[in-house]
Amino acid sequence: MAELTPGEIDHAALMARATRADCGAVVLFLGTTRDHHDGRRVLRLAYEAYEPMALEVLAQLEREACERFNASYCEVTHRLGEVPPCEASVVVVVSAAHRGAAYDASRWVMDQLKARAPIWKQERFAGGGSQWVHGTPLRD
């Protein structure tokens, strides 16, 4: 149930959807905006995406994580637009029978998201100026 949203991410709702009686682990990862980068004060991040492809990639990652790590549930929500410090830009929730699988799946999803999803991040600085963050090149 991959989602891109312009507003705050309701991580409590994501947790509620992921919690299940047959799973002993639910891992919730929140990627939040830091207020600094390379010695500069960051006021906010701004995210853009090629939305149809990004949604397809996120949904594929959810499916692959469940298959690869024997997880029962995986959901990814990524925010678009401006995100101030301390707010979540991305949330990944995974439920599995055991914690190892849930942790591994969550980390794998984030690593793959950065490598495969057409989502771009711009840092906007105090005192003016901005820069696009150089991420991982999309795979072929």
Side-chain angles (χ1 to χ4, degrees):
M1 192 163 150
E3 183 181 7
L4 298 170
T5 182
E8 288 188 45
I9 300 171
D10 184 355
H11 57 276
L14 293 171
M15 281 290 293
R17 287 196 293 273
T19 302
R20 19 194 109 250
D22 65 332
C23 292
V26 179
V27 169
L28 177 72
F29 172 80
L30 283 76
T32 59
T33 301
R34 285 185 307 270
D35 67 356
H36 66 281
H37 182 79
D38 283 342
R40 298 178 76 183
R41 187 166 164 248
V42 174
L43 296 178
R44 63 192 172 281
L45 299 178
Y47 288 91
E48 293 183 11
Y50 177 55
E51 292 186 40
M53 185 179 179
L55 282 170
E56 182 179 316
V57 169
L58 297 181
Q60 183 178 17
L61 292 175
E62 291 171 347
R63 290 188 301 273
E64 286 181 34
C66 288
E67 292 168 10
R68 190 178 280 260
F69 297 95
N70 199 28
S72 296
Y73 187 84
C74 179
E75 188 171 349
V76 182
T77 299
H78 203 295
R79 193 154 164 192
L80 298 179
E82 294 189 351
V83 183
C86 299
E87 289 189 15
S89 301
V90 60
V91 176
V92 176
V93 64
V94 178
S95 57
H98 303 284
R99 69 180 177 273
Y103 279 121
D104 292 345
S106 175
R107 182 179 182 120
W108 180 86
V109 166
M110 279 305 305
D111 291 345
Q112 292 298 308
L113 183 155
K114 289 183 170 285
R116 293 165 54 178
I119 300 172
W120 302 279
K121 175 171 66 173
Q122 183 184 60
E123 294 172 318
R124 298 190 177 160
F125 302 106
S130 64
Q131 74 179 25
W132 289 98
V133 175
H134 299 287
T136 306
L138 296 176
R139 72 177 185 180
D140 295 335

